[in-house]
Amino acid sequence: NKKNMNIFFPGRSRLKNEFLNLDQQGGGARYIGGSGETQQEVQQRLLREREMKIRAALEKLSRKRRLLRTRRKHKEFPIVSVLGYTNCGKTTLIKALTGDAGLHPQDRLFATLDVTVHAGQLPGRVTVLYVDTIGFLSHLPHQLIDSFAATLEDIKHSDVLIHVRDVSHPENVNQKANVLNVLRNLRVPDALLSSMIEVHNKIDLIDNYESTEDDSLAISALNGRGLEALKTAVERRVLAATGKRLVSLKVDLSTPQLSWLYKEAAVQDVSVDADEGSAVVKVVIGNAAYGRYRKMSKYRMPIDSWSSMQQS
């Protein structure tokens, strides 16, 4: 049901003020100046022009996201889409996760009406791309719903979703319901939707905040509280979604093992023991490649659990 895909069309209240000014300036005359347009015709024209500008911007965004998808697939970087209502703190969070000083959060509607992608490293040195999506809002005109939905198509091709909620907002519970409804209408895969990370942001604005919802992470993107736990959660989801694991392998430097790992996996760190002629290599590796490595290597290492890998 497209009516459930809610977002806000900025400008209608602003247009009302413009119409009022026109009426006051014209002294209530039926025709505006010498244009031959009635006040109602002027109102309709201004609305059409405003709508066309937003539609063009949304279509441009959709084209850019398709290009991003193609490039991302070529480079094989995991992609993490950050979504939520406007002003929930998405851009601030991405800035905190990536250390990108060039990001400037803006407190206004449609501040993120462009493709913004930022690379960041997770605790195991896995590189991911964070995508800052257009903000969810309320009361979008029916004729713009399809254009808005097109801008969110890239969400379905993500490896991980982060849903950011401004828990200081009085309507944040209803906002969550609306976001989930939109994602279901977009037919986001169930596996992706069920693994979505829910973040309760702006806890710095609430004294002694405690979430009553399971599987949520309380953070403050502004002051950095809870970000390490979030990064760990993102890494877990990324590795699970991409069919990869983070392991530490001991290799014999007199064999081609190290060069094989560089070719077949993503080497994150190498610690060399020169006296022994070996190295401990931390890699992100696919399950199939890991199986091949174990067969060709004389070092047979057990599959580490996530917790043991985090402690290594």
Side-chain angles (χ1 to χ4, degrees), residues 29-52:
R30 181 179 177 184
Y31 290 93
I32 306 300
S35 67
E37 289 184 292
T38 66
Q39 181 175 325
Q40 182 178 4
E41 289 171 340
V42 172
Q43 293 175 359
Q44 292 175 344
R45 177 171 56 80
L46 289 174
L47 279 172
R48 285 196 302 271
E49 290 174 355
R50 202 62 66 79
E51 182 178 307
M52 287 175 62

Side-chain angles (χ1 to χ4, degrees), residues 95 99-105 118:
K95 180 177 181 180
D100 189 342
L103 275 169
H104 300 290
H118 307 271

Side-chain angles (χ1 to χ4, degrees), residues 26-228:
R30 181 179 177 184
Y31 290 93
I32 306 300
S35 67
E37 289 184 292
T38 66
Q39 181 175 325
Q40 182 178 4
E41 289 171 340
V42 172
Q43 293 175 359
Q44 292 175 344
R45 177 171 56 80
L46 289 174
L47 279 172
R48 285 196 302 271
E49 290 174 355
R50 202 62 66 79
E51 182 178 307
M52 287 175 62
K53 289 179 181 179
I54 292 179
R55 186 188 298 278
L58 290 171
E59 290 175 352
K60 180 180 178 182
L61 177 59
S62 181
R63 290 195 300 272
K64 285 187 176 182
R65 291 204 183 282
R66 287 196 295 271
L67 178 61
L68 168 64
R69 272 204 308 271
T70 301
R71 291 178 175 175
R72 198 271 300 184
K73 287 180 180 178
H74 177 68
K75 294 293 185 181
E76 295 186 346
F77 287 121
I79 192 161
V80 179
S81 288
V82 182
L83 54 97
Y85 263 66
T86 292
N87 297 333
C88 67
K90 298 186 304 297
T91 303
T92 302
L93 176 59
I94 293 175
K95 180 177 181 180
L97 291 172
T98 63
D100 189 342
L103 275 169
H104 300 290
Q106 301 178 52
D107 184 14
R108 63 182 177 85
L109 301 177
F110 281 142
T112 305
L113 195 53
D114 201 352
V115 173
T116 55
V117 182
H118 307 271
Q121 278 202 336
L122 299 175
R125 301 188 184 180
V126 177
T127 299
V128 298
L129 299 179
Y130 292 100
V131 176
D132 193 355
T133 67
I134 184 174
F136 287 69
L137 301 158
S138 303
H139 314 307
L140 181 71
H142 185 78
Q143 61 270 29
L144 285 181
I145 288 175
D146 287 341
S147 296
F148 169 66
T151 69
L152 294 175
E153 280 295 311
D154 197 60
I155 285 178
K156 295 192 291 188
H157 302 274
S158 306
D159 294 297
V160 175
L161 301 180
I162 298 177
H163 175 202
V164 184
R165 292 172 57 188
D166 173 4
V167 291
S168 71
H169 195 287
E171 295 295 323
N172 80 87
V173 174
N174 290 332
Q175 289 176 349
K176 174 184 176 178
N178 287 337
V179 167
L180 293 177
N181 201 35
V182 169
L183 296 180
R184 293 189 189 101
N185 287 338
L186 284 171
R187 297 180 181 177
V188 172
D190 289 340
L192 183 58
L193 198 56
S194 63
S195 66
M196 182 167 65
I197 300 171
E198 181 170 302
V199 168
H200 291 187
N201 190 28
K202 301 191 182 182
I203 61 172
D204 53 293
L205 300 179
I206 302 175
D207 293 334
N208 303 316
Y209 177 77
E210 290 187 12
S211 174
T212 58
E213 302 179 29
D214 295 334
D215 301 324
S216 63
L217 294 174
I219 71 161
S220 169
L222 191 62
N223 63 28
R225 289 168 59 187
L227 293 188
E228 292 307 312

Side-chain angles (χ1 to χ4, degrees), residues 8-21 43 46-47 50 54 109 138-139 141:
F8 178 71
F9 172 52
R12 286 193 179 272
S13 60
R14 189 164 58 248
L15 285 174
K16 288 180 182 178
N17 293 333
E18 292 176 7
F19 304 152
L20 180 61
N21 290 337
Q43 293 175 359
L46 289 174
L47 279 172
R50 202 62 66 79
I54 292 179
L109 301 177
S138 303
H139 314 307

Side-chain angles (χ1 to χ4, degrees), residues 265-285:
V267 175
Q268 309 296 312
D269 186 56
V270 179
S271 298
V272 175
D273 186 332
D275 294 335
E276 190 177 316
S278 66
V280 174
V281 185
K282 182 177 287 188
V283 296
V284 175
I285 189 169

Side-chain angles (χ1 to χ4, degrees), residues 255-272:
T255 71
Q257 291 174 347
L258 183 57
S259 60
W260 187 93
L261 287 172
Y262 269 105
K263 181 180 178 182
E264 301 293 334
V267 175
Q268 309 296 312
D269 186 56
V270 179
S271 298
V272 175

